[in-house]
Amino acid sequence: MKHLLFAAAALAAVAAPLAASAQPGHDRREVRDDRREYRDDRRDARRDGHVSPREARELARDRADIRQGQRELRYDRRRADTWRNRAEWRNYRGARPGYWYAPGYGYYPVQRGYTWRRGAYVPASYRHYYVQDPYYYGLRTPPRGYRWVYADGNFVLMALATGLIAEVLLDRY
């Protein structure tokens, strides 16, 4: 008798939701109600001070202006105003024969006879001249385990563990 009672209860629990969803137009009514609730939520959000479509356009314009301003702040060796007031260029006093300048580190003698190429290794004496702000120089963000370094007026993307050169940008600064 108990088994029969449990079977009837299980059958009723399964059949009730199936019978409710079998009503004609049931799904369409739910979708329509969901849309109405979504519209009401958007209306409430605007009333509560959230961003309107017009304000969103204005914000997008402001963001574009900010990006344009950031582009203007990038390094350009032809324009002294892009580097003169930056901390890493504070000790720069112009080009010196036989020396190269690592921004933020100072002047260092050029190593003669070394060719910067992909697949070679960065000499140990250059491995600690990290580029502090790659975005300022228009460089992409280095992948994990790599760093941009200054090397004889070039930018070199180096593997930190081995010093292997992954990319070289010649005469960029």
Side-chain angles (χ1 to χ4, degrees):
M1 185 70 178
K2 270 188 192 178
H3 295 296
L4 189 60
L5 220 56
F6 284 125
L11 183 63
V14 171
L18 292 174
S21 66
Q23 295 175 1
H26 177 72
D27 291 336
R28 274 188 244 137
R29 224 175 305 140
E30 278 185 11
V31 169
R32 200 175 319 125
D33 290 344
D34 288 345
R35 286 184 189 156
R36 187 174 298 123
E37 286 177 22
Y38 177 70
R39 275 196 310 269
D40 292 344
D41 289 345
R42 283 180 40 207
R43 195 174 302 122
D44 292 342
R46 281 195 207 110
R47 186 179 31 217
D48 292 341
H50 293 284
V51 179
S52 70
R54 187 189 70 190
E55 291 169 334
R57 285 190 298 273
E58 290 173 3
L59 286 173
R61 256 185 255 121
D62 291 345
R63 279 190 222 110
D65 290 344
I66 289 169
R67 281 193 301 270
Q68 178 63 34
Q70 288 173 341
R71 272 188 226 112
E72 291 172 0
L73 291 177
R74 284 190 180 171
Y75 174 77
D76 182 1
R77 78 170 97 191
R78 295 176 306 265
R79 292 178 43 211
D81 59 325
T82 63
W83 57 268
R84 188 159 283 152
N85 294 326
R86 289 188 58 97
E88 65 261 27
W89 288 92
R90 188 173 298 133
N91 296 326
Y92 182 68
R93 301 290 179 254
R96 294 182 181 175
Y99 289 86
W100 64 282
Y101 182 75
Y105 299 99
Y107 286 94
Y108 296 94
V110 174
Q111 282 191 359
R112 302 278 182 223
Y114 190 80
T115 304
W116 299 102
R117 62 180 174 77
R118 191 174 179 191
Y121 290 90
V122 175
S125 59
Y126 286 90
R127 290 186 186 183
H128 63 277
Y129 301 125
Y130 297 136
V131 175
Q132 302 301 319
D133 187 5
Y135 180 79
Y136 170 68
Y137 294 102
L139 304 171
R140 64 183 173 87
T141 304
R144 184 179 300 206
Y146 287 81
R147 287 292 293 264
W148 287 103
V149 294
Y150 301 106
D152 292 342
N154 309 311
F155 290 113
V156 176
L157 183 62
M158 167 191 80
L160 287 174
T162 61
L164 182 69
I165 297 175
E167 187 175 344
V168 178
L169 302 175
L170 297 173
D171 298 325
R172 288 295 180 99
Y173 76 96

